[in-house]
């Protein structure tokens, strides 16, 4: 099972309790959870006008062995208008390169942060991958 939580925070919301969205999915091969602006395909969707987040920005996919991976999907632009960092529990955050896929070890937890490069806005996606 993979559990996700998402909070969107803008400068005017700083210090406030952000609304959180949650999603989970069983670790069945081929299961997909997406994060982005397109509410028709993303289980966790950001505000429509947050253009620094792609229609489908992050994709969590369960592989044939029951392990999950996350991909920062490439959009229509050569350079993204955001940056994404990944912090696994107990480790320092590292930048996730555009188009990269990372495996989430069983029993791991952490957070991905999508930051707008032009304004103080971010989307925080926490995850927990059951062992």
């Amino acid at each position: 099972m993979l559990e996700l939580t998402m909070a969107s925070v803008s400068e005017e919301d700083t210090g406030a309790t952000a609304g959180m969205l949650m999603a989970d999915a069983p670790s069945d091969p081929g299961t997909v959870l997406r994060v982005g602006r397109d509410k028709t395909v993303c289980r966790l969707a950001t505000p429509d006008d947050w253009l620094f987040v792609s229609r489908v920005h992050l994709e969590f996919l369960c592989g044939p062995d029951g392990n999950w991976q996350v991909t920062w999907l490439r959009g229509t632009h050569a350079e993204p208008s955001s940056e994404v960092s990944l912090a696994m529990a107990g480790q320092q955050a590292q930048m996730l390169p555009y188009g990269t896929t990372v495996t989430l070890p069983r029993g791991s937890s952490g957070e991905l942060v999508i930051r707008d490069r032009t304004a103080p806005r971010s989307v925080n996606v926490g995850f927990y991958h059951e062992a």
Side-chain angles (χ1 to χ4, degrees):
M1 170 93 50
L2 180 72
E3 297 174 359
L4 300 177
T5 58
M6 182 184 85
S8 303
V9 181
S10 62
E11 183 176 39
E12 58 269 8
D13 294 332
T14 302
T17 302
M20 301 234 321
L21 301 173
M22 300 176 76
D24 63 11
S27 293
D28 296 333
T31 300
V32 177
L33 286 172
R34 294 182 181 99
V35 177
R37 289 190 339 266
D38 188 340
K39 292 173 181 61
T40 63
V41 295
C42 296
R43 293 268 307 271
L44 297 175
T46 63
D48 291 335
D49 63 340
W50 284 31
L51 300 179
F52 71 98
V53 177
S54 303
R55 283 184 53 254
V56 181
H57 204 89
L58 299 175
E59 181 176 83
F60 293 82
L61 171 67
C62 185
D65 56 1
N67 284 321
W68 285 88
Q69 63 184 31
V70 61
T71 302
W72 179 6
L73 298 172
R74 286 191 159 286
T76 56
H77 301 288
E79 286 296 317
S81 55
S82 64
E83 59 186 27
V84 176
S85 64
L86 169 65
M88 302 287 257
Q91 297 178 13
Q92 218 173 0
Q94 295 184 359
M95 298 310 293
L96 186 65
Y98 191 38
T100 299
T101 298
V102 175
T103 299
L104 305 175
R106 288 183 185 266
S108 67
S109 63
E111 180 179 53
L112 291 127
V113 179
I114 305 167
R115 285 185 192 82
D116 188 342
R117 289 185 173 179
T118 63
R121 300 182 290 187
S122 65
V123 178
N124 297 49
V125 180
F127 66 87
Y128 174 70
H129 181 196
E130 288 185 356

